[in-house]
Amino acid sequence: MEPSNFNMILAAACLVAGIGLGALGYHLLNGGARNAQRLRLKLTERERQLTEWKDGVDDHLQQMDNLARQVCDDALTLQRQLHESARQLGSKAIASEVTPPSEPGETSDDIAIPRDYADGNRGTLSEDFGLRQADDDQNAEPRPPRY
């Protein structure tokens, strides 16, 4: 075998090996990009499903609210008819008038408003609440620490 043929065969073998190594490197490095694209598509699909489910839940909650309002209106109508029938018959068994249910924003007069002060002179918000007197400390037994 001549050295020039050997050089040509070696150059061809190196070229084929370089192409093979380049293709292998491209495949390995591009696999991460393909995986990232697949994950992006999966994420987009899940977000679309989540949006559909939220819309479905919103529709369901709106239907439930409408049904609850309808039940309340029907109960109020039934109570009015009951009182009207009792009035027509002259019955005193049902004496109270029909009162519509209070709105959630309305407040009742019998609910106490929280105060930022205590009744009397020595309430829980007084400055010396919980402080022991000096003579109490001397006469009292030592107490274990509270955690």
Side-chain angles (χ1 to χ4, degrees), residues 8-96:
M8 290 294 277
I9 292 173
L10 185 61
C14 287
L15 181 64
V16 169
I19 291 172
L21 286 175
L24 179 65
Y26 177 76
H27 177 70
L28 292 176
L29 293 175
N30 198 23
R34 244 182 281 130
N35 190 22
Q37 179 66 22
R38 206 172 327 139
L39 288 176
R40 273 191 232 110
L41 288 173
K42 232 184 223 185
L43 179 64
T44 304
E45 178 66 22
R46 297 291 159 88
E47 286 176 348
R48 186 189 60 78
Q49 286 177 350
L50 183 63
T51 303
E52 286 179 6
W53 289 341
K54 282 183 180 179
D55 291 342
V57 168
D58 288 344
D59 292 341
H60 177 72
L61 292 176
Q62 188 174 9
Q63 288 174 355
M64 295 298 290
D65 182 53
N66 291 339
L67 289 173
R69 287 177 194 255
Q70 184 179 0
V71 166
C72 289
D73 291 343
D74 291 345
L76 190 59
T77 302
L78 179 64
Q79 188 180 17
R80 285 183 183 144
Q81 287 178 353
L82 177 68
H83 284 284
E84 181 63 28
S85 297
R87 188 188 58 77
Q88 287 177 353
L89 295 173
S91 174
K92 301 291 183 199
I94 302 173
S96 66

Side-chain angles (χ1 to χ4, degrees), residues 119-140:
D119 291 331
N121 295 335
R122 301 191 44 90
T124 57
L125 295 179
S126 67
E127 291 181 7
D128 60 347
F129 178 76
L131 299 176
R132 288 180 266 153
Q133 300 296 331
D135 56 351
D136 290 344
D137 288 340
Q138 294 171 355
N139 296 337

Side-chain angles (χ1 to χ4, degrees), residues 96-127:
S96 66
E97 279 296 315
V98 177
T99 56
S102 63
E103 291 296 318
E106 296 178 7
T107 58
S108 176
D109 292 338
D110 53 335
I111 297 176
I113 298 173
R115 303 178 300 190
D116 60 349
Y117 59 91
D119 291 331
N121 295 335
R122 301 191 44 90
T124 57
L125 295 179
S126 67
E127 291 181 7

